[in-house]
Amino acid sequence: MENQPAEQVVQAPSSAVSDEQLVAMLVDRARNESLQLTGEGRLLQQLTKRVEVFAAVAAASGPVSGVELTRMVGRDAEIKNEVEKIRHHAYALEKRGWLVREKDGRFTLVSGAVGRDASPAGAGRRRPSGATA
């Protein structure tokens, strides 16, 4: 999942893909890449966690920290491992071009990302200076 450009996943008008088509796409991807769809650590679980994190950032009024994200997705932010798991998903979304990590480590949507301005995130967007993957 990490090596696909963001536009392959994000770019599509919201009405262009039905639930049935989305399921078929996931099943085809799992078959083509010899992936397991269900179970602990499998494709659907990974995608669900990333969608949760992306939706939390999209719902926020500004940049959010890993601790804030952890609380927003209903996890215990007092448990460091839980914060690191959520932060890991945010890093994966940053790598794919969906999120930007600010210099202070907080996350925000890429300008023009789905959910904020209703247009897809661009895969060729550059990170702000000082940010790393």
Side-chain angles (χ1 to χ4, degrees):
M1 171 138 188
E2 296 297 325
N3 58 1
Q4 289 185 338
E7 69 243 358
Q8 287 183 349
V9 176
V10 180
Q11 284 185 330
S14 59
S15 63
V17 179
S18 70
D19 291 347
E20 293 80 11
Q21 291 170 317
L22 182 57
V23 170
M25 289 167 54
L26 288 170
V27 170
D28 285 346
R29 178 173 169 206
R31 283 183 187 145
N32 292 337
E33 297 178 24
S34 300
L35 301 172
Q36 294 291 319
L37 274 176
T38 60
E40 185 69 28
R42 307 294 193 206
L43 181 61
L44 288 177
Q45 185 181 44
Q46 291 172 16
L47 291 172
T48 300
K49 288 178 182 179
R50 289 185 186 160
V51 168
E52 269 186 323
V53 170
F54 182 81
V57 174
S61 59
V64 291
S65 69
V67 170
E68 292 167 320
L69 274 174
T70 304
R71 288 185 186 121
M72 292 171 78
V73 299
R75 304 273 175 78
D76 187 350
E78 300 301 317
I79 300 172
K80 186 175 181 176
N81 189 41
E82 290 297 313
V83 175
E84 292 307 315
K85 288 177 189 177
I86 298 302
R87 195 175 279 137
H88 171 77
H89 291 294
Y91 292 151
L93 291 168
E94 175 194 20
K95 184 176 180 181
R96 297 180 65 94
W98 293 23
L99 299 181
V100 172
R101 187 171 9 150
E102 304 290 331
K103 288 182 181 181
D104 62 3
R106 295 181 303 158
F107 295 93
T108 189
L109 294 183
V110 169
S111 178
V114 172
R116 251 282 150 99
D117 299 328
S119 63
R125 305 223 191 247
R126 301 220 180 252
R127 292 181 185 93
S129 60
T132 59

